[in-house]
Amino acid sequence: MEKIHILYIDDELNNLNSFKAKFRNTYTVNIANNVNEAYEILEKNPTIHIIISDQRMPDMTGVDFFESILYKYPEPIRILLTGYSDIASIIQAINKGQIFRYLEKPWNDYEMEMAIDNAFRFHFINKQLKNTNAELQKRNEELNRFAYSASHDLKAPVKSMLGILKLAKTEPQTVDSLLNFLGDSVKKLDYFINNIIDYYKNTRQEKTLVEIDFNKIIQESIDSIEHAQNTSVKDIDFKIDIAQNTPFINDEFRIYVIISYLLSNAIKYQKTTEENKKIQINIETSERYLKMKITDNGIGIPLKYREHVFKMFFRATTQSTGSGIGLYIVNETIEKINGTIRMNSTEDEGTSFEIDIPNEIKREVMLK
């Protein structure tokens, strides 16, 4: 468990020294003789969990100090020390300074320790609740975008298919060409449904740890992309460099999702006028990490769009009629297996993605 970080403010040096001597081995203690020192400490130490302040200080009361930092530093839990039984000050402290509790001076060591421990539990629960609420808000926003975009992307190929079938009935001589159009619409629909399945499986499916065969995954990914996008990759020069110095253990489904979606992007966003289309795949494994880099010489991503590329249903270009969910799924999948991803892109020159993913080889041995 992390050590509790405390800021104690008091204009009496004896109280400060006594507090630090008593609790320095148990907590990380910061002391301030006045509110200006306290402001400086808060500015330099964003990890403060609990603030303890004396009520009666010459430059500012404890209540006023708590109120002054309330909006800039809302997370630390506040404890007020008062040397007199003044119910009005206590009520004011609760209303204005939002204190967790108050203690009478001179404080009792045991009572102070209990107050600190309870305050830290309250801080920890509040932080967890805040993180949970932020995650729920993110998921709700994604769900709203998903409902809107999914309905559009599902309706478009279905409407196209219905139109083609209607036309085939009235113009039977064009059935062959219409069937080709119908096949394209079915592929678009199938591709988008697969996107949804991949997204759902990543959020719900537990990890299954196996040794990863990168050659197999890369080849299967290219074959699947070629079929789904109804495109040829024969004019693309794939340079594959795999330095698998040690077995790499992880979730095969998620590694496949990451590689296939990144390769799909690299293929889709090639420059149509480029004679020497290239995709470079570099993979290196160690006992700790997989380091993977996928680079293309495609159209690149404009600077103004780069911070948005991992958002759900974001499309940075009209060159592809894709769903705009691919890089979002990649990012979510990498987070699920505790990896990281970095993107570098230059418009009209190409894009590269660098991925680091932990090797679960030790965990896999432990599970056995």
Side-chain angles (χ1 to χ4, degrees):
M1 188 175 181
E2 66 176 310
K3 212 169 186 181
I4 300 172
H5 291 246
I6 298 171
L7 169 59
Y8 176 39
I9 310 134
D10 200 317
D11 62 315
E12 297 180 31
L13 286 173
N14 287 338
N15 290 337
L16 293 174
N17 293 331
S18 175
F19 184 90
K20 191 161 189 175
K22 173 63 183 175
F23 296 113
R24 65 185 177 185
N25 293 327
T26 309
Y27 313 117
T28 299
V29 177
N30 300 273
I31 56 174
N33 191 222
N34 54 65
V35 295
N36 289 326
E37 286 182 13
Y39 289 140
E40 290 178 10
I41 291 170
L42 285 169
E43 191 72 31
K44 294 176 183 176
N45 295 273
T47 58
I48 297 292
H49 300 121
I50 298 165
I51 304 173
I52 303 169
S53 176
D54 185 25
Q55 167 64 1
R56 280 192 171 181
M57 295 184 291
D59 46 357
M60 186 183 290
T61 68
V63 170
D64 289 336
F65 170 71
F66 283 148
E67 186 181 15
S68 72
I69 65 169
L70 192 57
Y71 293 102
K72 191 171 183 181
Y73 305 103
E75 291 189 359
I77 306 302
R78 298 154 173 76
I79 296 175
L80 183 72
L81 296 178
T82 175
Y84 55 94
S85 298
D86 185 348
I87 192 65
S89 292
I90 295 166
I91 292 170
Q92 188 182 34
I94 293 169
N95 292 336
K96 291 178 65 179
Q98 296 187 14
I99 67 163
F100 173 71
R101 66 170 297 178
Y102 79 96
L103 297 173
E104 289 190 16
K105 293 173 70 176
W107 38 264
N108 173 278
D109 289 351
Y110 175 76
E111 190 177 15
M112 175 65 77
E113 196 165 356
M114 289 296 294
I116 290 170
D117 289 347
N118 288 333
F120 182 71
R121 289 192 190 96
F122 187 74
H123 176 277
F124 181 75
I125 291 168
N126 269 356
K127 193 171 183 180
Q128 280 192 317
L129 186 60
K130 185 178 178 181
N131 291 340
T132 302
N133 285 339
E135 182 65 21
L136 282 172
Q137 186 176 357
K138 176 191 171 191
R139 294 301 177 192
N140 282 335
E141 289 171 358
E142 289 171 352
L143 185 61
N144 289 335
R145 287 199 300 272
F146 182 84
Y148 174 80
S149 297
S151 61
H152 175 271
D153 287 345
L154 286 169
K155 281 180 180 178
V158 170
K159 284 183 177 180
S160 176
M161 291 159 64
L162 291 172
I164 291 167
L165 290 171
K166 186 176 180 180
L167 193 60
K169 290 178 181 178
T170 57
E171 299 183 28
Q173 67 276 11
T174 62
V175 167
D176 288 343
S177 60
L178 291 174
L179 283 174
N180 289 330
F181 287 127
L182 186 63
D184 291 340
S185 294
V186 170
K187 282 186 177 181
K188 286 180 184 177
L189 187 59
D190 181 60
Y191 183 69
F192 185 69
I193 290 171
N194 286 332
N195 287 168
I196 296 173
I197 292 169
D198 289 340
Y199 169 68
Y200 179 81
K201 286 173 71 175
N202 179 58
T203 58
R204 301 292 181 184
Q205 186 168 294
E206 293 294 323
K207 281 185 186 179
T208 302
L209 300 179
V210 296
E211 184 173 348
I212 305 300
D213 182 343
F214 290 103
N215 283 305
K216 172 175 168 281
I217 287 178
I218 290 169
Q219 190 55 57
E220 286 180 356
S221 297
I222 293 171
D223 292 343
S224 176
I225 294 163
E226 195 169 17
H227 175 263
Q229 295 181 12
N230 198 27
T231 185
S232 174
V233 297
K234 291 179 181 178
D235 61 338
I236 299 176
D237 181 16
F238 287 91
K239 295 185 180 295
I240 302 170
D241 182 12
I242 300 175
Q244 197 158 355
N245 304 314
T246 187
F248 180 74
I249 307 296
N250 212 292
D251 187 281
E252 186 176 46
F253 162 71
R254 291 184 171 90
I255 298 297
Y256 175 83
V257 164
I258 293 164
I259 291 174
S260 64
Y261 277 99
L262 290 178
L263 286 180
S264 175
N265 263 37
I267 292 168
K268 279 191 290 189
Y269 300 121
Q270 286 289 331
K271 288 179 279 190
T272 54
T273 57
E274 177 63 56
E275 293 184 2
N276 300 310
K277 298 181 177 71
K278 296 177 183 177
I279 295 176
Q280 175 81 37
I281 305 167
N282 295 93
I283 290 173
E284 183 180 356
T285 66
S286 68
E287 286 190 359
R288 295 187 62 198
Y289 284 101
L290 157 71
K291 291 188 176 294
M292 178 166 57
K293 185 174 182 179
I294 297 179
T295 306
D296 65 67
N297 62 339
I299 63 174
I301 300 169
L303 181 61
K304 63 181 178 180
Y305 294 137
R306 287 174 205 166
E307 63 179 299
H308 304 293
V309 295
F310 293 114
K311 293 180 180 178
M312 183 182 279
F313 295 115
F314 180 79
R315 297 180 178 94
T317 176
T318 57
Q319 175 165 314
S320 170
T321 56
S323 65
I325 198 176
L327 288 180
Y328 170 82
I329 292 174
V330 168
N331 192 47
E332 291 289 302
T333 305
I334 289 172
E335 284 186 3
K336 202 76 174 178
I337 53 178
N338 303 315
T340 59
I341 183 168
R342 299 173 299 282
M343 182 194 73
N344 290 295
S345 187
T346 303
E347 193 172 4
D348 203 41
E349 290 186 17
T351 302
S352 69
F353 291 94
E354 295 181 51
I355 300 99
D356 294 341
I357 298 171
N359 193 346
E360 300 279 11
I361 188 167
K362 291 181 181 178
R363 184 182 165 201
E364 198 264 350
V365 170
M366 288 173 61
L367 289 174
K368 286 182 178 179

